[in-house]
Amino acid sequence: VNDKMGKECCWNRKKSYALLLLDFQNEFAKEGGKLHDDVSEVMKRTGMLKKVPQVLEEARCVTLI
């Protein structure tokens, strides 16, 4: 699937999608945040913060956002 500019997208426009990003507050995401230590291992293991910009770009590609 290509976007309006001809860039290839990996999502299928024929299906319905939603993008929901929760709790990207400094309390969780930033080192030193009150709850950072509780979630830092999972964020590190999954590469969550590094993947978010790619997910947002793909969502923009199919005009979800």
Side-chain angles (χ1 to χ4, degrees):
V1 176
N2 293 330
D3 68 2
K4 297 173 191 172
M5 306 284 290
K7 179 183 170 198
E8 188 174 333
C9 299
C10 66
W11 293 358
N12 185 338
R13 286 181 192 252
K14 294 178 183 178
K15 294 183 179 182
S16 295
Y17 296 95
L19 178 63
L20 181 63
L21 302 173
L22 297 174
D23 272 322
F24 276 76
Q25 300 175 22
N26 287 338
E27 300 294 333
F28 291 95
K30 191 172 183 177
E31 193 171 330
K34 293 178 186 175
L35 301 170
H36 178 73
D37 291 342
D38 296 335
V39 297
S40 63
E41 284 300 316
V42 173
M43 289 192 308
K44 188 176 186 178
R45 186 175 66 244
T46 62
M48 183 196 82
L49 293 177
K50 292 180 181 179
K51 292 176 182 176
V52 170
Q54 180 183 357
V55 170
L56 289 172
E57 181 62 30
E58 290 291 332
R60 288 183 183 109
C61 181
V62 294
T63 59
L64 276 175
I65 55 174

